Structure formats: structure tokens, C-alpha cells
Amino acid sequence: MDITTPTVLKSLSAAGSASKELTAWWKKSKGDSRALIGELKDNLIYLDIVVKDKVELGEVIEKISVAEYKRLANAGFNFNSLKRGKIATLPALKGTDLASWQGKQADELVESIYDKLNDLKLRYPHVKKNSKYRWSVRINNIRKRIWLLLMHVRS
């Protein structure tokens, strides 16, 4: 599956690189942050299985989780505590679908990632054969947002 990945995210899109970054971030984190990062990592692995290993989304959709995010959101967790500050303005993002995220906070990006994951979990089982839903595009958009979150955390 061919996706257009902004240059700044190319290193993370390489096989296993994002997963390794998430593992490193997870090891440095504690408590609720660690739980959320672990859930993000698992979700990225499932999405990668669909994209790289050509496994049907239906085989992994039930394993994709939003439970930790919902628990933390309901408890009033400050998702900006994952990384304070705004997402950097990067020339490589100009003209890409990620350009609008520059200058926003981590909480907005995390919320968007999980909104899209939840939407995928709710819709796919019911409309998986509907041609108006481009599942591969949706999956890749989620993956790119996770990669952008990793770039933000690394900066």
C-alpha cells in the first residue's frame, strides 16, 4: 500500500521504527501516561499488520483498543502532560495533510487519533463493504498522526 509520508516522518514510517520509539517512550513513562502509550503502541502494531502484512482489518479490529484513552479522558487526565508545548512548525509538513497540526497541543492530536480509532471500531463491522469508505486511507491517516505525536514527543 503506497502512502505519501512527509519527509520529516519517513524515519518513523520505516518498519518497526515507530514501535521502537513508542517502546522507548513507554519505558521512560509512569502511571497513566505509560498505560496510554502502551495502548497506542499496540494499536499502531495492529494497524501496521493491516498495512504491511496485508491482514484484513476485520481480523484485528476487535483488538484495537480505546479503553485506556476513555478511562483517562473520563478521569480528567491532562494529555498535554505527555509533551508540553505546541507541535513544531516543520517545513517538511507544509502542503501535507499534517500541516494543520503545527502549532496545536498534544491533547488535540491524541484526541484526534482516538476519535479516528473509535470511529474505525464502530463503523467497520457494519459498513466494511461500502465502497465510499476508504479503509486503507483512514488507517494510514491514523498511523501518520501517531508518527506525528512521536515526532512531537522526541522534539
Side-chain angles (χ1 to χ4, degrees):
M1 180 177 304
D2 185 31
I3 62 170
T4 305
T5 306
T7 307
V8 71
L9 300 177
K10 289 279 189 202
S11 65
L12 289 174
S13 68
S17 184
S19 195
K20 288 176 189 170
E21 288 286 332
L22 279 162
T23 299
W25 183 20
W26 178 80
K27 286 179 180 178
K28 294 180 207 170
S29 301
K30 295 179 180 160
D32 289 335
S33 294
R34 187 178 178 118
L36 183 72
I37 296 162
E39 184 176 73
L40 262 176
K41 178 184 173 193
D42 290 350
N43 288 337
L44 181 61
I45 290 169
Y46 289 126
L47 296 175
D48 284 349
I49 287 170
V50 171
V51 171
K52 294 177 183 174
D53 299 325
K54 310 283 190 249
V55 170
E56 285 294 318
L57 180 57
E59 292 185 40
V60 299
I61 195 74
E62 291 301 319
K63 292 178 168 73
I64 293 172
S65 175
V66 296
E68 283 301 322
Y69 171 78
K70 285 182 176 182
R71 179 184 70 82
L72 294 173
N74 289 334
F77 182 77
N78 179 5
F79 293 100
N80 284 328
S81 67
L82 297 172
K83 171 69 179 200
R84 303 226 183 266
K86 295 181 178 184
I87 296 170
T89 301
L90 302 167
L93 292 180
K94 186 176 180 179
T96 71
D97 56 335
L98 296 173
S100 65
W101 289 102
Q102 297 174 116
K104 293 185 178 178
Q105 300 286 337
D107 65 338
E108 295 173 87
L109 184 54
V110 171
E111 181 179 331
S112 175
I113 290 166
Y114 275 97
D115 280 349
K116 292 199 174 299
L117 285 169
N118 195 52
D119 186 70
L120 197 68
K121 287 181 64 63
L122 293 173
R123 286 183 196 278
Y124 184 78
H126 304 288
V127 294
K128 61 184 162 194
K129 296 193 188 296
N130 189 325
S131 62
K132 81 175 187 178
Y133 294 97
R134 299 178 310 160
W135 301 113
S136 61
V137 172
R138 289 173 182 239
I139 290 167
N140 280 318
N141 285 340
I142 297 167
R143 291 171 70 224
K144 287 190 282 186
R145 288 175 190 201
I146 294 171
W147 298 336
L148 182 60
L149 179 62
L150 284 170
M151 287 297 299
H152 176 57
V153 169
R154 284 189 349 181
S155 66

